[in-house]
Amino acid sequence: MFYDYVDSIFNLLHVFVILLNTLGWVSEKTRRVSLLFLILTIFCWSIMGLFFGIGFCPLTYLHSEYLNFKYSYILPFSYMDHFIINIIDFNISSKIISIVSITFVFLSLYINLKKSFLLNKYIILFILLSGISSLFVVSFYDLGYLGSFKDFPIIISFILSTIMIILIFTKVKLFNQKYSRIKV
């Protein structure tokens, strides 16, 4: 594609975030940062997505703005679409890419929380509900679709993701308070 210095930095940042989101749970050293990025990713996709388009990614947005300014090229709404369809030249549906991406992100979130001993039945329930609602939304709406408060499935996904994120942050805070009192 373009591969100037700035485009290369954006591509490396995307790959870093994707690897951190999907494999950051493997190492204890990256688990906490991975959890933060997973929550940020879900926040952007669903909560910011209500206002900026389903599946919104600020990094992809900035990358697209740069490529549009410099080369009059607009990235697809999903960087994974750009990477798999345009760079690798693999002919696959954008919806399938989205479904696989969502599945990996929510599965990685579950594994990360399990390995961090932060799961409880409510978090598990909301990971499952939020993941299913996200899959439902991308199955029926295109990425980048700017929903409204009249789009019931998008609102449900928004609410479920918000509750899930609040539950996770609450659990992390309680977990940290519990173990910060222990002297090593």
Side-chain angles (χ1 to χ4, degrees):
M1 295 293 301
F2 305 105
Y3 304 117
D4 64 21
Y5 183 70
V6 176
D7 181 46
S8 295
I9 289 172
F10 274 119
N11 285 314
L12 287 173
L13 284 171
H14 275 106
V15 170
F16 172 77
V17 170
I18 291 165
L19 289 174
L20 192 60
N21 275 348
T22 55
L23 298 173
W25 53 266
V26 172
S27 169
E28 193 173 334
K29 293 178 181 180
T30 59
R31 207 168 289 145
R32 191 171 273 216
V33 174
S34 172
L35 179 59
L36 177 64
F37 272 82
L38 285 163
I39 290 170
L40 282 171
T41 299
I42 293 167
F43 174 83
C44 290
W45 285 357
S46 59
I47 297 169
M48 289 181 72
L50 182 62
F51 305 101
F52 297 100
I54 296 170
F56 178 75
C57 173
L59 186 58
T60 303
Y61 173 78
L62 292 172
H63 193 178
S64 185
E65 288 292 308
Y66 170 74
L67 291 176
N68 187 29
F69 173 76
K70 184 94 181 203
Y71 301 104
S72 297
Y73 177 79
I74 298 175
L75 281 176
F77 200 76
S78 164
Y79 182 79
M80 289 302 293
D81 287 358
H82 170 68
F83 184 77
I84 293 170
I85 296 169
N86 296 342
I87 293 177
I88 296 177
D89 196 26
F90 189 72
N91 189 15
I92 189 169
S93 159
S94 176
K95 286 207 187 286
I96 292 173
I97 294 170
S98 298
I99 288 168
V100 170
S101 297
I102 289 168
T103 302
F104 269 95
V105 164
F106 279 92
L107 184 61
S108 294
L109 177 64
Y110 173 82
I111 294 169
N112 187 310
L113 291 168
K114 184 169 179 67
K115 288 185 152 281
S116 301
F117 307 103
L118 294 170
L119 280 179
N120 63 34
K121 61 184 177 185
Y122 300 110
I123 292 174
I124 293 170
L125 176 65
F126 278 94
I127 288 173
L128 187 62
L129 292 173
S130 184
I132 290 170
S133 70
S134 295
L135 289 169
F136 182 81
V137 166
V138 299
S139 295
F140 291 98
Y141 299 94
D142 291 328
L143 285 182
Y145 173 76
L146 201 51
S148 73
F149 288 100
K150 295 177 184 174
D151 294 316
F152 186 72
I154 294 172
I155 297 303
I156 293 298
S157 183
F158 172 89
I159 291 168
L160 291 171
S161 294
T162 302
I163 293 170
M164 180 194 68
I165 290 168
I166 290 168
L167 286 172
I168 292 169
F169 275 133
T170 302
K171 182 70 175 187
V172 167
K173 183 178 179 186
L174 293 173
F175 185 81
N176 286 336
Q177 285 176 351
K178 180 179 177 182
Y179 287 100
S180 67
R181 292 181 283 213
I182 298 174
K183 305 262 184 198
V184 179

